Amino acid sequence: GVGVAQVSFTRHDGPDTVKAPLFVSFGEDIPLMSFEDMLGYLRYFANPSRLNALRNAPPERRATVWAEFLRATDPVPETPINEDMQAYFGRIQLANSEFRMDRNPGWLSDRGIVFVALGEPDQIVEQNVNQTISNTQMGNTARIQIWQYRNYNSQLIFYEETGKWRLTRPSETEFLALTARRQR
């Protein structure tokens, strides 16, 4: 299973045995973390039912359930890595460096969440807004960013509020619908 294990080597021609600690990870290029932390990181990668199957697996079955999860989410099962998961963790890493806010990791900011879940937008347009935007979309603001995703036929609008970029309410609704359709 995933976690700390021990491997033992015994000589066939004698009583000597050597033991060494071993850590079984979630996969190549995936950061080391606890099982619960991993499930938190995967919230925008897989649908809730797949994550619940992992969460509810008893410890002795976690390795098997994890292997099933990897097979089910791997776009190219013939290769030794899960390309989508590798790209997903790469986006988390990039979001952490690009969208960091205060003490929170960048991947949990509004722009970071969208970037991690949907990938890099096809186009980003930043505008200064000289008029008051309806309060149902955003508060009084001077700057907006429009992220365009052609493959989803969608654009998401962020507004800057006290130095932080936030999704507008309609864009947040659109984002939730997109992620629900996209998750494996």
Side-chain angles (χ1 to χ4, degrees):
V2 174
V4 178
Q6 191 169 53
V7 63
S8 298
F9 298 96
T10 305
R11 292 181 55 155
H12 291 290
D13 60 350
D16 293 339
T17 299
V18 175
K19 295 180 180 181
L22 173 72
F23 183 80
V24 179
S25 74
F26 292 102
E28 190 175 320
D29 294 332
I30 297 175
L32 296 177
M33 62 190 76
S34 72
F35 189 75
E36 284 302 317
D37 287 346
M38 175 60 100
L39 295 177
Y41 272 97
L42 291 172
R43 73 182 86 172
Y44 300 110
F45 179 76
N47 67 46
S49 65
R50 286 194 197 277
L51 294 178
N52 284 335
L54 286 169
R55 184 175 284 110
N56 297 332
E60 65 275 4
R61 292 242 329 117
R62 282 184 181 166
T64 302
V65 175
W66 177 251
E68 291 167 1
F69 174 83
L70 288 176
R71 273 192 300 280
T73 60
D74 192 348
V76 187
E78 300 79 31
T79 61
I81 61 168
N82 183 322
E83 294 80 5
D84 279 358
M85 187 175 292
Q86 187 176 38
Y88 177 81
F89 278 100
R91 289 192 306 271
I92 287 176
Q93 196 170 31
L94 190 56
N96 282 339
S97 66
E98 295 291 321
F99 306 121
R100 185 169 184 81
M101 291 179 21
D102 301 325
R103 295 180 196 156
N104 297 323
W107 82 281
L108 294 176
S109 69
D110 283 10
R111 291 187 302 170
I113 289 169
V114 170
F115 182 81
V116 167
L118 301 180
E120 188 170 344
D122 296 303
Q123 185 175 4
I124 298 175
V125 177
E126 190 165 322
Q127 298 177 348
N128 288 325
V129 179
N130 295 327
Q131 61 205 27
T132 303
I133 306 286
S134 163
N135 235 8
T136 60
Q137 291 185 13
M138 65 186 92
N140 294 335
T141 186
R143 290 177 48 192
I144 64 170
Q145 278 189 357
I146 303 167
W147 287 21
Q148 296 176 348
Y149 287 93
R150 289 186 195 101
N151 56 329
Y152 299 113
N153 195 27
S154 182
Q155 66 179 20
L156 301 175
I157 301 172
F158 298 88
Y159 64 98
E160 188 179 30
E161 179 180 71
T162 62
K164 296 178 183 177
W165 290 93
R166 305 277 187 210
L167 268 174
T168 62
R169 288 185 196 131
S171 290
E172 187 174 349
T173 301
E174 173 75 8
F175 169 71
L176 293 173
L178 289 172
T179 55
R181 284 194 315 238
R182 187 178 184 282
Q183 288 180 330
R184 298 150 185 81

